[in-house]
Amino acid sequence: MNNKNLERWHQVVLEKDFDLLQELLDENVEFHSPTVWQPKLGRDVTAYILQMLIDIVENFQYHREWIDGNNFALEFSAQVDGKNLKGIDLIRWNDEGKIVHFEVMLRPINSLQLVFEKMTQRLRDAGFIPKD
């Protein structure tokens, strides 16, 4: 099942298949953002944030993948407004093929800050956080 899960995840990211994203996320998935300390809980908020991240970055590419049972660590690179970034997606699946834990780590700090600013603006525009 691990190879199938990996293939399905690549389909989400590379083809921007957000219907499949909804299907893969467990209803109670725990998402750890690179920009906030507290995890977000639930399929809808996780899907929304992941869609934003996928939309914000350009030239996204996975490089190395480590799989240990239902735990994946996927190294990637991308750009945001021309700035290079590197990161790792840590994904844990349950035995039913649903993502139950997702954590994103990004570097360097200037790219992380730019992602934070873009995400904050989109969340404001969508009415999730108050405008200044």
Side-chain angles (χ1 to χ4, degrees):
M1 180 179 328
N2 289 340
N3 287 340
K4 183 179 178 189
N5 287 345
L6 186 59
E7 289 172 18
R8 292 167 61 198
W9 176 249
H10 282 298
Q11 181 180 340
V12 166
V13 175
L14 300 176
E15 298 176 19
K16 298 184 178 187
D17 188 340
F18 300 129
D19 291 332
L20 180 57
L21 174 62
Q22 283 282 340
E23 182 182 320
L24 293 181
L25 294 173
D26 185 78
E27 183 178 326
N28 299 307
V29 62
E30 181 176 297
F31 180 79
H32 294 261
S33 167
T35 60
V36 294
W37 178 250
Q38 291 291 339
K40 301 296 181 190
L41 302 176
R43 177 186 299 131
D44 293 340
V45 67
T46 299
Y48 185 82
I49 293 170
L50 285 172
Q51 284 177 254
M52 268 198 309
L53 283 168
I54 290 169
D55 193 44
I56 287 170
V57 299
E58 304 152 353
N59 303 318
F60 186 92
Q61 186 175 8
Y62 279 117
H63 299 285
R64 294 185 288 171
E65 301 164 340
W66 297 269
I67 299 174
D68 179 20
N70 286 341
N71 297 294
F72 294 5
L74 310 174
E75 177 192 31
F76 63 85
S77 65
Q79 293 179 322
V80 57
D81 285 353
K83 292 191 186 315
N84 293 327
L85 65 85
K86 289 280 283 187
I88 295 177
D89 289 334
L90 298 174
I91 306 171
R92 185 171 59 239
W93 303 75
N94 64 19
D95 290 334
E96 290 76 44
K98 301 283 187 180
I99 296 171
V100 293
H101 182 95
F102 200 111
E103 185 167 355
V104 180
M105 291 186 251
L106 295 176
R107 62 172 283 279
I109 191 70
N110 62 339
S111 297
L112 174 61
Q113 182 65 35
L114 191 54
V115 168
F116 173 76
E117 290 168 7
K118 288 182 164 291
M119 287 180 66
T120 299
Q121 186 60 50
R122 288 178 184 222
L123 288 167
R124 278 191 186 112
D125 292 347
F128 286 110
I129 56 177
K131 296 184 181 192
D132 293 337

